[in-house]
Amino acid sequence: RSRSNSSSSRGTTDVAKRKPFEQYKWYYWERTLFFSAVTFPKWAQDKSRYVLAPIGVAAVLFLLLCIPLVFVFVVALPLLAWLQLGQPPKPRGPHTVGTGNVTVPTVNGEPLRIQVYYPADPEASAGMPDAPWLPSPRRAYADAYAAFGGLHPFIRRLVVWVFLGVHQGAKDMPPPLPWPSSKEGEPAVAGAADAGAWPVVLFTHGLGGSATTYSSTCAELASRGAVVVAVEHKDGSAVLSTTEHCQLGSALEKVPYDRSKSTFDDRNAQLQQRCEELRSVMRALTRFTAGGAKRGQMRGAYASEDVLKEAQRPMYDGVLANLHLDPANTLLVGHSFGGAAALELGAASARTPLPPGWALVGVEALDPWVMGNSKTVRSELSLPTLLLMTQSMMYDENGVDLDALVASMGARGKACVFIEVDDTRHQDQSDVPAVAHAACRLLCMGSARRPAVTMREHLDVCLGFVDMAVPELAGRLALGGLGRARGGGVKGGAE
């Protein structure tokens, strides 16, 4: 479902209206959970104790009858968790994908974890294990995810071990593939700013995410011929934030979701911190990848800043030092609150230059929650922009903010594509439904559709948008004409 108009080079404000949020169809379980959590408490506030007392007695009797079932459920819970466990979808591009995480310094000196996905040497990757989905320390991250899902500590201790068996669709730190490659479908490089380097994708996670929560999306883009760097932010929005020093860093902060000024100020401050962290990652990649400082100089630099451990040496020396990047062709991607961060930095880059050598060529905001965005985003964002939505984030307040952004970009003749994938939920754009589909259904975090199908549909839109609207990358990634097959390029105005 897309909003479309007759886009022209002059742009237009004739944007199709959003579907009213009350017209969306919701599953029976979602309506029941919403009633019990929201509607009934509001109704109960207006009723006297004489009306509520019989309801309370009936509820207590029902719970007493369920006590034997609770014991059965607790005993069977680990088995049920193991049976519903899944794996993130494998990437479909022509390149084998490798991945590894490393700690880089930031402006304020606090170490920052990044997960790097890159085209890997297929021969060297043969027989290597897939990388674990959970970062290290894995049990701490598993417990943090379970806590974010609202599980009681006792229940968490029963089930967290199950998630230690989840792996990404990428190999664990194989050697990078030199550019270009004739082994796996050499991509076209005509017109590239730097034909001897890989284009870059920076990924910023949503609230309660981490550097590996979106491994399917990151691995897919890497399999098409990009180096993807997923950042684990230190703004208090990550489910857990650690470094290779194995220090348990900042956990998820409880910031309200209302639209008050104080909440806006808090969220906007988080977005500004994320933007600075993304800039720090750019500086670190310039410094530590091939084409930056020489290997001996690199080792001395990061060892003196206390960000190198022996466990990181293979990633720094074996991967980063051999990755040739083209930072002048960088795509910025983010989900949920990360989508807001991508929009924020995409707009700010017009007035505040990025680190030397870096330039953004497009923004993909996946189901963005834009309440904390600066108002200047609407007037300053000029990069080709994709707003890829699920029905979860089409509620009126968020929709009105997105309407204003789409209309502003259309009026200024800037390319903006707004697409909603039917019958999907907010977490369908992450790995979580693929890993724990039943739990996501229970908590109304995923749709009833197969996670592999919804992920494929979202990824096809992401790739098609690049093929259609970002010419700097379209000729350098193995996209298979996903965008051109859908009707040509985007000139100007909003779609």
Side-chain angles (χ1 to χ4, degrees):
R1 183 196 310 281
S2 64
R3 300 191 221 175
S4 61
N5 61 9
S6 54
S7 54
S8 66
S9 59
R10 296 190 305 274
T12 176
T13 57
D14 182 21
V15 180
K17 292 183 179 180
R18 277 182 300 109
K19 178 181 177 180
F21 193 63
E22 60 269 14
Q23 292 183 12
Y24 281 97
K25 294 181 179 179
W26 302 91
Y27 305 134
Y28 176 78
W29 171 247
E30 290 174 320
R31 296 196 301 270
T32 302
L33 194 62
F34 183 82
F35 173 81
S36 62
V38 179
T39 307
F40 180 77
K42 289 183 178 180
W43 174 83
Q45 288 178 355
D46 301 328
K47 302 301 178 182
S48 67
R49 65 178 184 273
Y50 299 106
V51 176
L52 296 179
I55 298 177
V57 172
V60 171
L61 292 175
F62 177 76
L63 291 175
L64 290 174
L65 292 174
C66 289
I67 287 178
L69 296 178
V70 170
F71 284 105
V72 174
F73 176 76
V74 169
V75 172
L77 188 58
L79 178 61
L80 293 174
W82 179 78
L83 290 175
Q84 65 94 46
L85 190 69
Q87 302 289 335
K90 299 288 186 181
R92 302 167 296 164
H95 295 294
T96 302
V97 179
T99 187
N101 70 80
V102 71
T103 301
V104 298
T106 61
V107 172
N108 60 12
E110 185 176 11
L112 192 70
R113 181 200 291 268
I114 61 174
Q115 188 81 22
V116 184
Y117 299 83
Y118 55 92
D121 188 321
E123 295 180 358
S125 302
M128 294 188 69
D130 290 338
W133 184 62
L134 292 171
S136 176
R138 295 163 64 192
R139 193 174 184 88
Y141 273 88
D143 186 73
Y145 275 117
F148 183 69
L151 296 184
H152 188 274
F154 175 74
I155 302 297
R156 298 205 302 263
R157 286 193 291 269
L158 293 176
V159 300
V160 293
W161 63 271
V162 173
F163 298 98
L164 303 182
V166 181
H167 290 81
Q168 304 180 56
K171 301 297 182 180
D172 194 6
M173 291 193 300
L177 181 68
W179 172 284
S181 168
S182 59
K183 299 177 182 179
E184 294 191 340
E186 177 179 327
V189 294
D194 185 351
W198 303 101
V200 181
V201 176
L202 292 179
F203 195 100
T204 168
H205 63 75
L207 297 177
S210 73
T212 59
T213 307
Y214 306 88
S215 70
S216 299
T217 299
C218 295
E220 180 73 21
L221 291 168
S223 76
R224 305 284 178 163
V227 170
V228 185
V229 181
V231 182
E232 190 168 277
H233 292 287
K234 292 279 191 176
D235 63 333
S237 63
V239 69
L240 184 67
S241 183
T242 70
T243 67
E244 285 300 328
H245 300 81
C246 289
Q247 298 170 341
L248 292 185
S250 56
L252 186 67
E253 293 182 3
K254 300 296 184 182
V255 179
Y257 289 87
D258 60 67
R259 297 179 66 85
S260 66
K261 185 181 184 304
S262 61
T263 299
F264 170 81
D265 292 341
D266 291 340
R267 291 301 188 189
N268 187 259
Q270 287 181 302
L271 291 178
Q272 301 310 318
Q273 180 175 337
R274 281 179 172 234
C275 290
E276 287 306 311
E277 289 174 349
L278 289 167
R279 293 173 185 272
S280 294
V281 170
M282 294 177 188
R283 297 185 188 95
L285 291 173
T286 299
R287 184 176 183 179
F288 297 142
T289 55
K294 295 182 180 179
R295 292 182 64 183
Q297 294 173 332
M298 284 194 304
R299 184 176 294 113
Y302 58 69
S304 64
E305 293 168 356
D306 193 31
V307 297
L308 175 65
K309 303 284 284 187
E310 281 303 314
Q312 290 189 284
R313 189 179 298 278
M315 187 63 188
Y316 267 108
D317 294 347
V319 176
L320 290 185
N322 295 306
L323 276 179
H324 293 264
L325 305 184
D326 178 16
N329 287 294
T330 297
L331 179 68
L332 194 56
V333 185
H335 175 251
S336 190
F337 196 58
L343 296 171
E344 190 78 24
L345 183 58
S349 63
R351 52 182 158 78
T352 306
L354 298 174
W358 287 81
L360 301 177
V361 295
V363 174
E364 293 189 346
L366 312 182
D367 224 18
W369 179 49
V370 296
M371 192 277 290
N373 274 125
S374 304
K375 302 305 180 186
T376 54
V377 170
R378 300 175 187 174
S379 58
E380 293 181 345
L381 185 60
S382 299
L383 297 167
T385 300
L386 170 67
L387 303 174
L388 180 55
M389 307 301 296
T390 72
Q391 73 179 57
S392 300
M393 298 302 286
M394 296 293 287
Y395 62 91
D396 290 336
E397 293 86 355
N398 201 53
V400 167
D401 291 338
L402 293 172
D403 282 345
L405 175 60
V406 173
S408 174
M409 294 192 71
R412 292 183 286 118
K414 305 302 180 182
C416 179
V417 180
F418 186 112
I419 294 179
E420 177 199 349
V421 179
D422 277 333
D423 194 20
T424 53
R425 303 296 185 268
H426 190 55
Q427 292 298 336
D428 285 333
Q429 295 179 340
S430 73
D431 294 348
V432 179
V435 173
H437 190 214
C440 285
R441 288 292 313 281
L442 181 66
L443 299 173
C444 303
M445 296 170 62
S447 68
R449 303 172 64 195
R450 290 176 53 214
V453 174
T454 56
M455 177 59 72
R456 182 180 68 241
E457 291 182 351
H458 283 110
L459 288 174
D460 283 350
V461 174
C462 291
L463 297 170
F465 172 77
V466 172
D467 195 26
M468 190 171 61
V470 190
E472 296 88 345
L473 298 181
R476 305 188 58 188
L477 302 180
L479 301 175
L482 281 167
R484 289 184 289 270
R486 285 165 168 75
V490 174
K491 294 180 180 179
E495 290 199 357

